[in-house]
Amino acid sequence: MLEWNEKKLLEILKEPFQLTKDIELNKKVPIGLEIEFTKGNYDNIFKRVNSFSYYKDKYNKKWTTKNDGFNNEVVSPIFYNKDKDWDTLFAITDILKSCKAKPSENDSLQISFGLEIFNENKEALNRFFKLWKVFEKEIYRFSYGKEEKARMMLYQRALPISYRMIEYFKSNPKTNEKDYTFIEQIKDIGTFIPHQKLYAINIVDTKHSLTGLPERIELRPVNGTIDSFYIQNAIQFFSHFIESCQDDTKNWDLIDKKYEETAALQENFYAPSVEEDYSTSLSSGQTSPKYREIIDAPPDLEEALLLGNFIYGEDNNFHRAYLKQYIKTEKSLQKMLK
């Protein structure tokens, strides 16, 4: 088990941000981004992003801009963990900065991965949702980027899934049945988090235009940012998080035990139904107190260190970047250590 003392953690906080062109993700796994922003010269951003031609993929898809009625967005085509794609992302964020773009407290960064990232591994999919449920508080704090708190719209557009997953696992998933396919499992999970713009994870509104089958998983808790480091760091964290779920050598007995302990505690409380979640999400500030206990939870350094050690398994730049973003500042670290 890796040991992280105060001295090492202070060193990490002082280290400069580092960008890379390889986040150690399978280069065949599709990635997608929606970068929301409110302020900035939108006409100039629209013109420069839509005419940007540094790199086009084989389908001639390009980065685009749109307004969904709530936010301005820069939307990526499918891209991959490859040099040219990272160069393009960095160039797009440079355009946004030069045009004075700035996210508001309502904006988000939405990240998608093609379901290829799970390799049709049904056990890995179950592990992913258990690991998420166990460390949901830590995931949320990391997702706030350099901020100490959630964006306002998160309380309406990216609710915790812990209670939904307790219900899923109580339903006795058919994971071990031979004829039960990975896509069937995805669809079944989707019945527990059925609204695409309500929960932190969206898998129900990610269907292929031709097959009609789910094709990606969308992660929605990340605060809006146009900073290339925070964008890339969120992508690498979630990709390592997912890929760790295929590693049979990890201590999954520990995760199962922690899941049972936390699930037992949460089962004692009333959890809103999906319908109640949807109706209350329409009114700002009316999020269930049980969700706020997760979203607004005080930092827990011990749990954050456990999560980092579990998914990364070694002291490397990705692990350090995760810790740097979770802890945020020296002042925050001192509070955690008291």
Side-chain angles (χ1 to χ4, degrees), residues 146-315:
K146 64 182 178 181
E147 304 297 332
E148 294 277 352
K149 62 181 182 179
R151 65 187 186 278
M152 291 303 299
M153 287 299 290
L154 184 145
Y155 298 95
Q156 299 169 266
R157 295 296 185 93
L159 294 175
I161 63 166
S162 287
Y163 293 104
R164 305 275 81 81
M165 288 302 100
I166 290 173
E167 295 301 314
Y168 165 67
F169 286 111
K170 282 170 61 178
S171 73
N172 297 316
K174 297 179 284 187
T175 310
N176 295 324
E177 294 186 12
K178 185 177 180 180
D179 296 330
Y180 184 63
T181 68
F182 176 79
I183 290 297
E184 288 175 321
Q185 184 183 14
I186 284 283
K187 289 180 177 178
D188 284 348
I189 293 172
T191 65
F192 291 88
I193 45 174
H195 196 287
Q196 73 268 29
K197 293 187 181 296
L198 185 56
Y199 296 103
I201 295 177
N202 169 28
I203 54 178
V204 299
D205 189 36
T206 64
K207 296 177 181 177
H208 192 280
S209 59
L210 297 179
T211 66
L213 297 175
E215 63 174 349
R216 59 189 172 88
I217 182 168
E218 181 184 62
L219 308 170
R220 302 173 54 81
V222 184
N223 278 6
T225 180
I226 62 167
D227 188 306
S228 51
F229 169 78
Y230 286 108
I231 294 172
Q232 186 177 66
N233 203 32
I235 296 171
Q236 72 83 7
F237 168 75
F238 285 115
S239 65
H240 280 88
F241 187 100
I242 295 172
E243 291 202 316
S244 73
C245 297
Q246 299 178 52
D247 187 345
D248 295 334
T249 68
K250 292 187 180 295
N251 188 356
W252 291 105
D253 288 340
L254 171 65
I255 301 305
D256 286 340
K257 181 180 178 181
K258 289 179 71 65
Y259 171 83
E260 295 298 335
E261 290 172 350
T262 55
L265 289 173
Q266 288 184 311
E267 280 180 346
N268 294 328
F269 299 102
Y270 166 76
S273 67
V274 173
E275 291 75 17
E276 288 172 312
D277 281 341
Y278 180 67
S279 63
T280 57
S281 75
L282 298 178
S283 301
S284 179
Q286 294 188 20
T287 307
S288 166
K290 306 317 299 180
Y291 291 144
R292 287 185 174 273
E293 287 181 7
I294 296 171
I295 297 170
D296 300 329
D300 187 329
L301 184 59
E302 183 177 350
E303 288 295 287
L305 295 177
L306 178 60
L307 173 59
N309 287 345
F310 189 86
I311 66 174
Y312 295 103
E314 62 180 344
D315 181 355

Side-chain angles (χ1 to χ4, degrees), residues 31 85 99 116 212 222 245 258 284 323:
I31 308 168
D85 286 337
C99 294
E116 294 93 325
V222 184
C245 297
K258 289 179 71 65
S284 179
L323 291 174

Side-chain angles (χ1 to χ4, degrees), residues 127-140:
R127 286 172 175 173
F128 166 77
F129 282 103
K130 277 194 175 179
L131 192 64
W132 184 290
K133 185 259 169 290
V134 168
F135 292 106
E136 193 162 39
K137 294 177 182 178
E138 286 64 51
I139 292 168
Y140 270 101

